[in-house]
Every structure is written in structure tokens, then in C-alpha cells.
Amino acid sequence: MFGSFFKNFKFNKFGFTKIKPDIGINKDLVEKLSFKNKKDLLIKDRKDAGALKVKKEYLQKNYKLYANLLLKNGYVKIAEELVEDNIYPYVVMHILNDKKTKELIWHRDQYFHGRNFIGPKFKLYKLAIYLQDTNQNNGVTGFIPKFISPRFRNKYLDTIFAYLSSFLSIHPRLSIGEAVIFSGKVMHHRPRQKNDDFREAIIFSCTNSPNNLPSLKNDENEFLNVFLKSKIKLGIN
């Protein structure tokens, strides 16, 4: 029921929102970006519930393509308007599901466990672009809005409460090329695939200043460095 209202969700209240790019992704660009027919370039990540990920050496070859996708298609510009903050992607992950990919359980990317803060110490956003029509049946990321998701200082209680309240979760329906941006503190999960239309997504970890990661900013082998150079080349402030 909540999914139909997803487009109206405000980021500050819900901790996530949908992005419809200025320029959509056509079939030719999807073909250029996709790794669905390049299985030998993928590696299974058991820590990510068995999802398939593009190997780092091939990921790096696509850094300029990913940076231009974000900038030329307007994803970053729209994301900044929605979250009312600057967006600087510093890590990219290209991920696919297959029949063996399991559910990625409810979790946060930043949280307290007792006195310890787990995750990056700076502002964290995740921006996920989907390369096919995606919904709950083929593994779209689901969210529990932050206003109904109290944060416990115990990751086990936090996860248990997420499962108990998951009937209030929202799994958006996204068209090819649409994206979501969400806070590192919002509760989210990836449901198990229920059909053969396997999910493929490009997920960027982002922060609000490149100065949060000076070592990445100055290393030309890192995505943040490539992104900053692409911004300058395209004349984007």
C-alpha cells in the first residue's frame, strides 16, 4: 500500500527517496553498462548474501563511464536537491542477483552497538541505479521509514525489531534507469529474488564533501578522484 506513495516521500522524514533522472537510460546504454552476459567478469560475494559483483579491475575500467552516467544524466544534481546536501560518490559497486542470491537481512550501514559507532564516521548516502524494471519480486531494496524505526544501541535488537515491523516496510517499484538515494542510517534490506528477471544495479557510496576522504580524493586509481575530474571536465560546479 505504501509503495504507491513512494514518489512523494520526503528524504528528511523517511531517510530515502526516489530519483528520476533528467535523461533516461536507453537500451544501448544499458547494454554498454550491463554485465549480465559477462559472467566470467563477476565474483560471488558470500558476505553480501551471495550476490555477484563486478571484479575490481573491470570496475575500474568503467570509472569514467559511471562518473559520466551520474553527471550527464542528472542523478547527482537531482539527489542534491532531494537531500539538500552535496553528493560526492567515492566507491562504486556493480552488483547482480542470480538464483542462488539470498536475502540480505535488515540492517543499517551506520549504527551504534553499545558505545561503539559502526560504519563511516562522516555523512553517508547510498545511491542505487537499477538497470531494469525492479520491484520486490526481483530484489529491489526495501526500507523501513526512519520515523517508525527507532534506533537501538544493540545491532541484534535493532534487526529483530526491523523484522517485527517489516510489515510497514516499503519496496518501491522502479522503471529502468530510475534510482533511490538513502541515508546510511536508514534500515534497509534486499529481498530474495522471486522470478527470473535478475536484478542488476550500480550502487554508489557517497558523502557530502571530498575532504572527508583526502586519500581517495588524491588517488587517481580511486572513483572519487575520477568523479571530481569528470565534474571539472564537464564544467559542473
Side-chain angles (χ1 to χ4, degrees), residues 52-69:
L52 302 171
K53 294 182 179 178
V54 175
K55 294 176 181 176
K56 189 169 182 179
E57 58 266 36
Y58 299 103
L59 202 62
Q60 286 178 317
K61 288 179 182 177
N62 272 354
Y63 275 0
K64 286 184 181 177
L65 181 61
Y66 294 138
N68 286 334
L69 173 68

Side-chain angles (χ1 to χ4, degrees), residues 67 70-71 75-77 79-80 83 85-92 122-127 181 203-214 216-217 222-232 236-237:
L70 288 171
L71 293 165
Y75 289 101
V76 167
K77 181 185 71 129
E80 289 180 334
V83 305
D85 201 356
N86 295 320
I87 295 293
Y88 289 91
Y90 63 91
V91 168
V92 56
F122 46 77
K123 185 74 75 73
L124 174 66
Y125 303 101
K126 291 286 185 74
L127 195 164
I181 185 165
I203 303 174
F204 301 88
S205 296
C206 310
T207 189
N208 61 347
S209 171
N211 296 324
N212 291 336
L213 295 151
L216 301 189
K217 181 178 77 168
E222 295 292 344
F223 182 69
L224 178 57
N225 180 279
V226 174
F227 176 80
L228 292 172
K229 286 178 179 175
S230 296
K231 275 190 90 170
I232 293 167
I236 298 172
N237 295 324

